[in-house]
Amino acid sequence: MKILTKAQIDSFNSFIDNHNFFLVAGHKDPDGDAVSSSLGVARILEKKGKPYQLLSAGPFKRQEIKDKENLFSSTMDFLSQEERNQTGLIIVDCSEISRLGEIDGDLKGFDTFVIDHHKTSGVEEGFTAIIDPTAPAASCIVQMLYEGVVGALDKTAADILFTGMATDTGFFRFLTTDSSEVFKATARMVEAGANPRTTYDEITSGKPYLTRKLLGKLLLTAERYCNGKLILTSETMEDTRKYGADGRDSDALYQLLLSIEGVEAVAFVRQETEHSCTAGFRSRDKVDVSEIAASFGGGGHKNASGMSVEGKLETLIPEIIKKFARVL
């Protein structure tokens, strides 16, 4: 993770100073990092005395963020043209307005600042951005902005940002040898009052019983491809109806399947509607799944990426297997 320069911090601080109101938004189907980085930015704005609105298209399906849903809205407050001219849009954990999903209101035309860490990020023309693919979470960048603009973390900010860092690093499992700055930043959060044990319990406990049943079904139907280097499993709409959509635990699924001997990558494909699917990809060090996701219009990190695409399982799965066969 790179340390933010004074110029980057000054740029963000000036962006705040130059606007009277802010819209803060993360990507649709938010995870812990999208929510935490949004709330972290909101905490900076509060310290600067700036009003804001938190936006998210949802849905808030993950256990660790469900209690934050009431802080966000999928409908933008009405703003007159004069008010729009004084409003800044801050996008976190993604870089394109299209990734924000179905938010009721026109988000185009605002002066926009992007804070992201995805390798596949592409900044739209006219946006100001801080993008660091070496940062394991957008929350880590927001932490440095908070410390540069506001000062030392308070407990509220530390709790918020620790959750984002913990979820995107798999509670440190995904970090590599170049992660010393991440641990230094984590130490500052803990010194400010973040509790790793409490956060771990919030992330991993409280799963509905039926999610364990679904996990068993997904493991049972998982198949090997590419000489055993790829494992793919899928969830049908009937599975969703039977087991529910609350508290899905794909992270546990990826962890179990990647632990199998000889496996280099895992793909999990879900039929969301009659005509659309989502997919998540995970890999070990060698395979860059962000490139595969990007070929379908998605994106993410080298070892963790995803996508949403029109189609059905029976036609999409063979296409995904072909993409992986080229790199495995």
Side-chain angles (χ1 to χ4, degrees):
M1 181 176 71
K2 299 175 183 176
I3 301 298
L4 293 184
T5 65
K6 183 178 184 300
Q8 287 174 313
I9 294 171
D10 288 346
S11 175
F12 184 67
N13 198 24
S14 295
F15 185 85
I16 295 174
D17 289 340
N18 290 335
H19 300 86
N20 296 332
F21 184 73
F22 294 87
L23 301 169
V24 182
H27 58 77
K28 63 181 179 180
D29 195 8
D31 55 10
D33 190 31
V35 169
S36 292
S37 51
S38 293
L39 294 175
V41 167
R43 190 66 176 164
I44 295 172
L45 295 174
E46 289 171 5
K47 293 290 187 178
K48 294 276 289 183
K50 297 285 187 173
Y52 61 87
Q53 182 186 17
L54 292 167
L55 296 172
S56 177
F60 285 69
K61 296 181 292 189
R62 299 169 187 256
Q63 185 68 28
E64 65 271 16
I65 62 172
K66 281 187 174 182
D67 65 338
K68 305 296 191 299
E69 182 173 7
N70 65 324
L71 301 175
F72 292 79
S73 174
S74 60
T75 301
M76 190 182 82
D77 290 345
F78 173 78
L79 298 171
S80 67
Q81 187 57 54
E82 183 178 353
E83 289 170 327
R84 288 178 68 89
N85 294 339
Q86 298 295 321
T87 296
L89 171 63
I90 301 176
I91 299 175
V92 297
D93 204 30
C94 68
S95 58
E96 305 91 0
I97 288 178
S98 60
R99 291 278 327 275
L100 302 181
E102 297 298 322
I103 293 176
D104 186 10
D106 183 10
L107 290 174
K108 296 180 179 179
F110 289 110
D111 194 9
T112 302
F113 200 106
V114 170
I115 302 169
D116 195 16
H117 70 125
H118 291 97
K119 179 182 177 182
T120 54
S121 294
V123 180
E124 298 183 28
E125 185 177 355
F127 288 8
T128 305
I130 297 175
I131 298 177
D132 178 14
T134 69
S139 294
C140 293
I141 302 173
V142 174
Q143 177 183 351
M144 288 187 284
L145 288 172
Y146 185 104
E147 292 169 331
V149 172
V150 177
L153 296 170
D154 60 15
K155 186 179 186 306
T156 299
D159 285 338
I160 290 167
L161 295 169
F162 188 88
T163 297
M165 182 280 303
T167 52
D168 254 29
T169 65
F171 232 91
F172 308 109
R173 296 196 319 274
F174 308 143
L175 296 180
T176 57
T177 54
D178 59 351
S179 302
S180 61
E181 292 299 336
V182 180
F183 283 102
K184 291 175 185 177
T186 302
R188 296 196 298 274
M189 286 189 275
V190 174
E191 288 173 353
N195 188 320
R197 180 174 180 176
T198 299
T199 301
Y200 183 81
D201 285 344
E202 290 173 351
I203 294 170
T204 60
S205 62
K207 307 291 186 183
Y209 170 72
L210 286 178
T211 65
R212 308 300 93 181
K213 302 285 283 186
L214 175 59
L215 182 59
K217 188 269 179 185
L218 295 174
L219 291 171
L220 186 64
T221 57
E223 296 288 348
R224 288 187 175 197
Y225 301 93
C226 305
N227 296 319
K229 295 180 180 179
L230 170 68
I231 289 187
L232 185 147
T233 190
S234 60
E235 179 182 332
T236 66
M237 292 180 68
E238 177 59 30
D239 293 331
T240 304
R241 283 190 288 267
K242 183 176 181 179
Y243 299 108
D246 292 337
R248 287 167 169 169
D249 196 8
S250 54
D251 290 339
L253 176 69
Y254 294 130
Q255 187 177 354
L256 287 167
L257 294 179
L258 277 175
S259 68
I260 297 172
E261 182 180 7
V263 171
E264 293 291 336
V266 170
F268 173 32
V269 191
R270 179 186 293 123
Q271 188 79 51
E272 296 285 358
T273 70
E274 290 289 348
H275 303 290
S276 67
C277 294
T278 58
F281 307 137
R282 298 293 185 273
S283 70
R284 297 187 180 279
D285 290 340
K286 295 179 182 179
V287 181
D288 188 345
V289 292
S290 70
E291 294 183 357
I292 294 174
S295 70
F296 289 97
H301 310 286
K302 176 183 177 183
N303 303 121
S305 295
M307 66 182 196
S308 298
V309 65
E310 297 297 312
K312 293 181 177 292
L313 291 176
E314 55 265 30
T315 56
L316 181 59
I317 287 174
E319 294 181 27
I320 291 173
I321 294 170
K322 286 181 183 178
K323 297 285 187 180
F324 274 100
R326 295 171 184 167
V327 297
L328 289 174

